[in-house]
Amino acid sequence: MNDNHVVVITTTDSEDAAGTLARAIVEARLAACVQISSPIRSVYRWDGEVHDDPEWQLWIKTAYDRVDELTEFVKARHTYDVPEVLALPVLGGNPDYLAWLTEETRR
């Protein structure tokens, strides 16, 4: 098991917002790579109402020790009041890719 890497998921309300946020995250070295999934459909309750909206999902590949800073970075730049930030453990993978991931998240 690999406990040094995570995939962090967040969503945005537009493709432009997703691209802007993804680029800022990688430029800040808070992730090695961010993949943007084309519109997904999110059904959720907010302010007492059920919403059904298109969103763009970001898959952020990073080192575990960058999650707290990444979370604050996303919260400070996101258009949502309470943005989704979920860190999912990476259980394994290509050792060369994981080494690259760690290297790219160092200043």
Side-chain angles (χ1 to χ4, degrees):
M1 180 166 153
N2 176 337
D3 60 357
N4 297 320
H5 303 95
V6 295
V7 174
V8 175
I9 299 173
T10 192
T11 56
T12 63
D13 60 358
S14 74
E15 185 175 7
D16 286 344
T20 298
L21 184 57
R23 179 171 289 283
I25 289 167
V26 173
E27 286 175 349
R29 291 197 172 268
L30 293 171
C33 173
V34 179
Q35 292 173 317
I36 302 169
S37 295
S38 54
I40 61 170
R41 183 175 172 187
S42 292
V43 179
Y44 58 96
R45 183 180 306 277
W46 185 254
D47 287 337
E49 296 181 28
V50 174
H51 297 261
D52 188 336
D53 296 315
E55 291 187 302
W56 282 255
Q57 190 171 56
L58 285 73
W59 288 69
I60 304 165
K61 281 59 127 333
T62 192
Y64 177 77
D65 64 358
R66 303 297 275 156
V67 170
D68 291 341
E69 188 176 350
L70 173 62
T71 299
E72 292 307 311
F73 187 91
V74 169
K75 288 170 56 178
R77 287 160 181 77
H78 210 287
T79 59
Y80 293 176
D81 293 337
V82 181
E84 170 187 22
V85 179
L86 299 175
L88 309 174
V90 172
L91 301 178
N94 176 351
D96 297 332
Y97 179 86
L98 296 175
W100 169 80
L101 192 158
T102 298
E103 181 181 322
E104 290 301 314
T105 59
R106 304 301 129 188
R107 295 199 185 272

